[in-house]
Amino acid sequence: MAPIEVTDLTKAYGDVLGVDSLSVTVEKGEIFGFLGPNGAGKTTTIRVLLGLLAPTSGSATVLGADVTDEAALIEAKRRIGYLPANLGFDEEATGERVLEYFASIRGDSRRDELLEIFTPPLERKIREYSTGNLQMLGLIQAFMHDPDLVIMDEPTAGLDPLKQEGFNEFIRAERDRGTTIFFSSHVLSEVRRVCDRVGILREGHLVALEDVETLLDRGGKRVRVQVAGDGTGLGDLEGAKTVETIGEEHQFTYTGEYDALLRHLSSYELVDVEISEPPLEDVFMHYYGSDVEEGETANEGTETPLASDTTEATDA
């Protein structure tokens, strides 16, 4: 059985749908990126998977346990690691005490190994932690009991670039060991480097489910060109999108046939041309257009402090 199976899952907050008829399967030993801006339904889905929210309709299983079957889910959670978006450790506890607490619940067979990769100052109290140190402590508690499935909500938030790269290398190695990784993100630059597949949410709906390379192929190519003259009509080509001129450079995303693009460009006196893969942000906007909002839908992204949230995810 797949580590995560979701079928027609719906979660309503009154008249607002946090998740609407979501169906997705995450296979064993893959890194699955769950993408969307704040308010898309990512955190709601994660909290339903962990039994922290009850689904309004539909079904979901994690490691074979129905998320509405409390007894089965308690047993499954012993094999799950969880990193919520908002860490709520006791601010007066030291990092050492926090890890001891979670070790008493689930074990810590990989703690020393993880402390070589992620380096929070364990002797300090949580109130003295930077955002990055807090995130590293959260990552250690999520992985130190050697879980079969790890669910993370925005796992690289607050990490500096070197620690982000260390995290990427680590979860690729975890995948190679057979661990299944499911994480939500709205930062697309990290997704291509680590994910096998991605699902894109829009207002609670799954609008794309692709491997990363297919997603990029659908996004076309990013064209940057300088020509002698004013470049009038450069973007008048079937398949050209998001055409703009910045100084002397003309830019657009192109999803048509390459031969047609080259024929079109050859009709101009070219000064410089660059054709490259588009930023993943551009691919993302293909599914959202101009509708991405900065805010969040009702209740989406609202977290219970980790002191209760993570405990529920492991032994509740």
Side-chain angles (χ1 to χ4, degrees):
M1 181 174 291
I4 295 176
E5 291 191 4
V6 177
T7 305
D8 295 329
L9 182 68
T10 296
K11 175 59 183 176
Y13 301 100
D15 295 332
V16 178
L17 290 178
V19 180
D20 188 5
S21 299
L22 174 66
S23 294
V24 65
T25 299
V26 178
E27 301 296 341
K28 178 177 170 55
E30 76 169 333
I31 302 175
F32 188 93
F34 202 45
L35 310 181
N38 291 338
K42 305 185 304 296
T43 297
T44 292
T45 302
I46 286 174
R47 290 173 67 80
V48 170
L49 291 176
L50 292 167
L52 303 176
L53 290 174
T56 303
S57 63
S59 64
T61 63
V62 290
L63 299 179
D66 189 315
V67 297
T68 63
D69 183 337
E70 184 177 356
L73 195 56
I74 287 173
E75 185 60 32
K77 284 178 180 179
R78 302 185 191 282
R79 300 156 52 206
I80 296 174
Y82 173 45
L83 180 74
N86 296 323
L87 294 163
F89 300 132
D90 180 355
E91 292 194 348
E92 294 304 311
T94 63
E96 182 79 28
R97 180 67 188 94
V98 169
L99 293 186
E100 288 175 354
Y101 168 72
F102 287 109
S104 70
I105 298 171
R106 301 168 305 189
D108 62 350
S109 61
R110 301 186 64 189
R111 173 176 166 172
D112 291 343
E113 171 194 350
L114 290 162
L115 283 169
E116 293 181 2
I117 303 170
F118 307 109
T119 55
L122 296 185
E123 72 283 357
R124 294 185 190 173
K125 291 186 176 182
I126 296 302
R127 58 180 166 80
E128 300 173 0
Y129 270 38
S130 66
T131 302
N133 282 332
L134 195 62
Q135 194 73 355
M136 287 191 289
L137 190 68
L139 286 167
I140 292 170
Q141 67 79 27
F143 282 91
M144 69 181 186
H145 59 298
D146 200 17
D148 297 324
L149 168 66
V150 181
I151 298 174
M152 298 179 286
D153 204 346
E154 304 287 351
T156 63
L159 297 182
D160 65 38
L162 287 177
K163 290 300 182 185
Q164 286 184 25
E165 186 53 38
F167 168 80
N168 292 341
E169 292 179 5
F170 172 71
I171 64 167
R172 284 193 292 260
E174 287 300 288
R175 173 194 58 199
D176 293 343
R177 294 178 69 242
T179 307
T180 304
I181 310 289
F182 178 95
F183 74 89
S184 75
S185 180
H186 68 276
V187 181
L188 300 183
S189 58
E190 69 187 7
V191 168
R192 185 182 180 192
R193 293 194 293 272
V194 297
C195 287
D196 299 302
R197 288 192 303 148
V198 296
I200 296 180
L201 281 185
R202 175 175 179 165
E203 297 178 349
H205 294 276
L206 190 69
V207 295
L209 181 61
E210 308 279 6
D211 64 80
V212 173
E213 292 305 320
T214 299
L215 194 69
L216 285 171
D217 288 345
R218 289 192 175 190
K221 296 292 182 182
R222 187 65 173 165
V223 181
R224 304 172 185 265
V225 59
Q226 291 183 357
V227 299
D230 63 8
T232 300
L234 254 175
D236 296 340
L237 173 67
E238 184 176 355
K241 304 177 181 179
T242 61
V243 181
E244 58 183 345
T245 300
I246 302 175
E248 297 181 349
E249 185 177 83
H250 306 273
Q251 303 180 3
F252 55 90
T253 300
Y254 180 70
T255 58
E257 295 292 332
Y258 291 155
D259 286 347
L261 172 63
L262 295 176
R263 285 195 300 270
H264 179 69
L265 294 180
S266 68
S267 64
Y268 292 84
E269 185 179 346
L270 300 178
V271 175
D272 191 23
V273 176
E274 178 184 336
I275 302 174
S276 60
E277 292 181 340
L280 276 172
E281 284 76 4
D282 288 359
V283 178
F284 193 45
M285 291 302 293
H286 172 72
Y287 294 96
Y288 278 84
S290 60
D291 296 333
V292 177
E293 299 178 356
E294 293 296 327
E296 298 179 337
T297 59
N299 293 295
E300 169 66 8
T302 302
E303 295 288 351
T304 307
L306 184 60
S308 60
D309 211 13
T310 305
T311 303
E312 286 185 272
T314 56
D315 68 338

